[in-house]
Amino acid sequence: MRVKTDEKRQLIVETAYRLFRANGFDKTSMSEITAQVGGSKATLYNYFSSKEELFVECMFGIAENYLDGIFSHLQDPAGDIRAALQGFGANVTRLICSPEIVAAQRLMIAEAERAGIGNLFYEKINSLQVETAAFIGSAMDAGKLRCGDPRLAAVQLKALMEAEIHDSYLLCVRTTPPDDAEVSALAERAVDCFLRAYAPETE
């Protein structure tokens, strides 16, 4: 029964995402989603308490499809910290430049002020920072990074990884993902800046 339940939920999310992309938030109704998924509106509300909650789940669900392996380099905080962060940075760069992620972000920004949507999505984003912060905190404990607030450092690292390229995709200045060489260069520059700020203190 759990498998069927998960399949039903996934069908709802995929259908809703397609309708939100095509029609926008206002012009997409729970009734229309129900009609395309099948079943009753009550069943739909068993999975999601509101259209806003379903919208956030759709947008974040797209990101989750790309998250497999994104933290794969953050396994050994006592190892080569530069190599670990550059591998992680390359994964993040590919994520934020992927067409589906960019499209989802544009939709989220457009609807952020509506009925707490922005807060819901912000909480989801912060949940992803926990793993990065945990790795940074362990690296600080291992003497690989200057001691500080791991959560703040994770936020700063994210900002550095987005700094050169993120806005150009959101604003449609660029439309094609960077190639491997550019991804590596972007990650290297972001990590270099981060490590300069968090280099271990010398006595």
Side-chain angles (χ1 to χ4, degrees):
M1 181 61 74
R2 178 60 185 272
V3 172
K4 289 184 178 180
T5 299
D6 290 344
E7 289 176 352
K8 183 71 170 183
R9 187 178 191 279
Q10 186 62 29
L11 177 60
I12 292 170
V13 170
E14 290 174 355
T15 302
Y17 177 70
R18 176 170 48 79
L19 291 171
F20 285 135
R21 282 284 306 271
N23 305 324
F25 183 87
D26 273 338
K27 294 182 179 179
T28 300
S29 68
M30 295 293 262
S31 295
E32 183 180 8
I33 295 169
T34 301
Q36 295 206 17
V37 170
S40 67
K41 192 183 293 188
T43 300
L44 184 59
Y45 279 107
N46 283 336
Y47 289 97
F48 301 98
S49 63
S50 67
K51 187 169 73 167
E52 288 78 12
E53 181 185 338
L54 175 54
F55 180 78
V56 171
E57 185 64 28
C58 288
M59 299 304 108
F60 195 76
I62 295 302
E64 287 182 325
N65 291 337
Y66 289 84
L67 288 178
D68 285 346
I70 198 170
F71 297 106
S72 60
H73 294 276
L74 305 186
Q75 302 299 319
D76 182 11
D80 187 335
I81 192 71
R82 180 178 292 274
L85 291 178
Q86 285 184 186
F88 174 62
N91 287 345
V92 170
T93 300
R94 293 188 183 96
L95 172 70
I96 64 176
C97 296
S98 61
E100 277 199 311
I101 294 299
V102 172
Q105 285 187 311
R106 289 185 187 130
L107 279 171
M108 283 302 310
I109 292 169
E111 304 295 343
E113 67 179 0
R114 185 188 301 275
I117 283 177
N119 284 335
L120 287 171
F121 196 65
Y122 188 73
E123 290 173 4
K124 293 271 192 179
I125 292 173
N126 280 345
S127 70
L128 296 179
Q129 293 286 77
V130 171
E131 193 160 349
T132 309
F135 175 83
I136 289 173
S138 295
M140 289 174 173
D141 292 341
K144 295 291 184 175
L145 296 172
R146 174 178 59 81
C147 288
D149 182 344
R151 184 202 60 79
L152 175 60
V155 171
Q156 293 168 334
L157 178 60
K158 175 179 179 290
L160 287 168
M161 290 175 175
E162 294 178 345
E164 287 189 58
I165 200 167
H166 188 229
D167 287 351
S168 64
Y169 282 94
L170 281 181
L171 299 175
C172 302
V173 176
R174 291 188 59 164
T175 57
T176 56
D179 61 22
D180 288 343
E182 186 177 9
V183 166
S184 295
L186 288 164
E188 183 176 355
R189 289 193 292 269
V191 170
D192 184 64
C193 186
F194 180 80
L195 291 180
R196 286 174 184 270
Y198 283 94
E201 297 175 350
T202 57
E203 297 183 2

